[in-house]
Amino acid sequence: MQLRYSFRLYPSAGQRTALARAFGCARVVYNDALRARETARAEGQPFPKTGELSRRLITEAKKTPQRAWFGEVSAVVLQQSLRDLDAAYRNFFEGLKGKRPRVGAPRYKSKRDTRQVVRFTANARWSITPGMKLRLPKVGDVRVRWSRALPSAPSTVSVVKDSAGRYFASFVVQTGPSEVLPRTTPEVGIDLGLGHFAVLSDGTRVDSPRFLRRAEKRLKKAQRVLSRKEEGSNNRDTARAKVARAHARVADARRDFHHQLSTRLIRENQAVAVEDLAVKGLARTRLAKSVHDAGWSAFVSMLEYKAARYGRAFVRIGRFEPTSQVCSQCGVKDGPKPLHVRVWTCRACGAVLDRDVNAAVNVAKAAGLAVTARGAQVRPVLVPAPRSEAGTRPTPQPSTAR
């Protein structure tokens, strides 16, 4: 399977200028191609092909005074911009046909967009130097912070500038069957929630870190400062960057937590089952901020691709499965219960069941996994306080290789 590995870049001032030039040229080519296709559609003419657009908007445009500066960047960057437009149209039309989730029609890119991307393929002759720097055509040797080794030789690299002003190199690599883990015995079902981020069918509970809630005070202060700056001023740009960096820290911490937990679950279990949650629906309720803070969709996506990568089984069960209503001991459906009921007694067999652990066991059973209800029968215990209430400073967690 193909994977992406991202590493932090530290370009010099001159290299940042060269990258800004590449971002701008790629954006102009994208907008020119989109305008040409929209004009052809409005006039009832045939849809211009990518080859024709490449000749007209890149090769011939370089010879004109208005687009002569296209020659200052790698031609591969401009070609890849046309391919990005093709992918945007393909996703749009496939969404209309029902082959994938619906997305909007391609839109023009703005130079005020805070996130910029250019892509270099093998034709651009980019390389990693003996000094472990990233050599990009017409940019130079950029310093890279290598946090881990690549599993194979990369075929493509994308240079990304995010909203916080940070630069990243995103490599596309091909992984083989050598990464498949040896078989193991445990199989686990996972019940995702807000009180606890995850409850496993063996009774293990994973506390919800609540990264956004913990950073809320700092974010509010930064956004309040931003709202008081004059539109279009340099001070507003500086304040906007501070807000973006604060949000980036929250997103990075959440992503690292998801990676570490998903990797541990995949390594320790032969099969993993989760419930297909209606995240979009929950995000329209009064719990919207907590739902977005948990990031269930990203976590489940990580479980899915890591299971495929390491040779594990991954199962999603339907969102309408009554996992909280069925007794995992005897299988009798005891009916719906309010959310404040965390422990209940089955009227058929008399088992005392923890709501979350019972649901996790039922998730595993619905997926056909060989689990027992060993963690479902419990006694009420004290619930630990959330991190936001337990202390004033979060304890830094060591990062591990993913």
Side-chain angles (χ1 to χ4, degrees):
M1 62 185 301
Q2 284 189 337
L3 295 175
R4 281 194 175 272
Y5 281 71
S6 293
F7 301 90
R8 183 78 180 269
L9 292 180
Y10 293 92
S12 63
Q15 291 168 348
R16 286 196 296 269
T17 302
L19 288 173
R21 189 181 301 118
F23 294 143
C25 291
R27 182 186 67 251
V28 170
V29 169
Y30 184 96
N31 290 342
D32 287 347
L34 179 57
R35 187 178 299 109
R37 285 181 168 173
E38 286 189 344
T39 302
R41 181 179 61 84
E43 296 176 354
Q45 298 178 0
F47 208 60
K49 302 295 183 182
T50 302
E52 178 187 350
L53 292 175
S54 176
R55 176 184 57 80
R56 181 168 24 128
L57 301 179
I58 298 178
T59 306
E60 295 179 358
K62 288 182 180 179
K63 304 175 183 178
T64 64
Q66 295 82 6
R67 296 288 187 267
W69 34 273
F70 279 179
E72 299 177 3
V73 303
S74 171
V76 173
V77 168
L78 308 181
Q79 296 288 347
Q80 292 302 311
S81 188
L82 293 179
R83 289 184 172 85
D84 289 341
L85 180 62
D86 284 342
Y89 270 111
R90 185 167 55 252
N91 293 339
F92 171 64
F93 289 127
E94 288 181 355
L96 294 179
K97 296 176 183 177
K99 296 181 179 179
R100 55 165 293 143
R102 300 192 68 165
V103 295
R107 296 183 297 179
Y108 291 102
K109 294 185 177 181
S110 170
K111 65 180 180 180
R112 295 180 178 83
D113 289 342
T114 55
R115 189 178 187 276
Q116 305 283 344
V117 183
V118 290
R119 187 166 62 255
F120 298 86
T121 60
N123 294 336
R125 293 187 175 88
W126 63 272
S127 62
I128 299 175
T129 67
M132 299 305 292
K133 291 187 176 181
L134 179 61
R135 179 169 294 170
L136 299 174
K138 299 192 178 182
V139 176
D141 296 350
V142 185
R143 187 164 65 91
V144 186
R145 179 68 178 270
W146 299 101
S147 57
R148 50 188 167 166
L150 293 171
S152 61
S155 60
T156 305
V157 60
S158 299
V159 179
V160 182
K161 181 185 179 184
D162 68 0
S163 300
R166 303 176 300 177
Y167 292 84
F168 294 90
S170 179
F171 298 93
V172 176
V173 298
Q174 189 81 23
T175 62
S178 59
E179 294 197 345
V180 174
L181 295 173
R183 290 187 62 85
T184 185
T185 303
E187 297 179 340
V188 69
I190 305 174
D191 178 62
L192 299 174
L194 297 177
H196 290 87
F197 177 79
V199 178
L200 310 185
S201 55
D202 61 2
T204 304
R205 300 172 185 271
V206 180
D207 290 336
S208 180
R210 296 184 175 92
F211 294 108
L212 180 61
R213 296 288 186 181
R214 286 160 50 190
E216 216 165 17
K217 184 180 294 185
R218 183 171 63 251
L219 289 170
K220 284 182 179 179
K221 181 179 179 181
Q223 288 165 342
R224 189 162 55 244
V225 171
L226 172 63
S227 67
R228 293 170 179 169
K229 302 301 180 184
E230 184 179 353
E231 291 281 349
S233 65
N234 291 333
N235 286 338
R236 186 175 180 85
D237 290 340
T238 303
R240 185 210 59 79
K242 289 183 178 180
V243 172
R245 284 194 294 270
H247 280 283
R249 281 193 292 269
V250 173
D252 290 346
R254 183 187 298 114
R255 188 183 307 111
D256 185 68
F257 167 74
H258 287 164
H259 270 299
Q260 293 194 38
L261 179 59
S262 58
T263 299
R264 178 166 64 86
L265 291 174
I266 291 298
R267 289 186 182 277
E268 294 176 355
N269 299 279
Q270 183 62 35
V272 177
V274 297
E275 188 176 5
D276 186 17
L277 297 173
V279 177
K280 288 186 178 180
L282 292 171
R284 290 194 292 266
T285 67
R286 60 185 179 86
L287 301 174
K289 183 179 289 188
S290 297
V291 169
H292 287 304
D293 192 10
W296 293 325
S297 295
F299 174 71
V300 172
S301 298
M302 290 181 186
L303 283 175
E304 188 170 12
Y305 89 77
K306 290 180 182 180
R309 177 183 180 184
Y310 295 116
R312 301 304 200 205
F314 175 82
V315 184
R316 291 178 190 252
I317 69 167
R319 64 185 59 172
F320 299 109
E321 194 75 25
T323 56
S324 298
Q325 304 178 24
V326 176
C327 174
S328 58
Q329 299 269 341
C330 63
V332 172
K333 187 175 180 180
D334 206 10
K337 300 162 190 64
L339 285 177
H340 70 270
V341 177
R342 311 313 303 173
V343 178
W344 54 284
T345 303
C346 177
R347 288 177 290 185
C349 66
V352 180
L353 304 169
D354 179 277
R355 182 191 186 103
D356 298 327
V357 180
N358 179 72
V361 173
N362 286 330
V363 167
K365 288 186 174 181
L369 305 186
V371 300
T372 64
R374 58 187 178 276
Q377 190 165 355
V378 299
R379 294 180 181 274
V381 295
L382 293 176
V383 179
R387 287 189 184 181
S388 57
E389 300 175 9
T392 57
R393 295 175 183 270
T395 303
Q397 300 292 329
S399 59
T400 60
R402 293 186 280 273

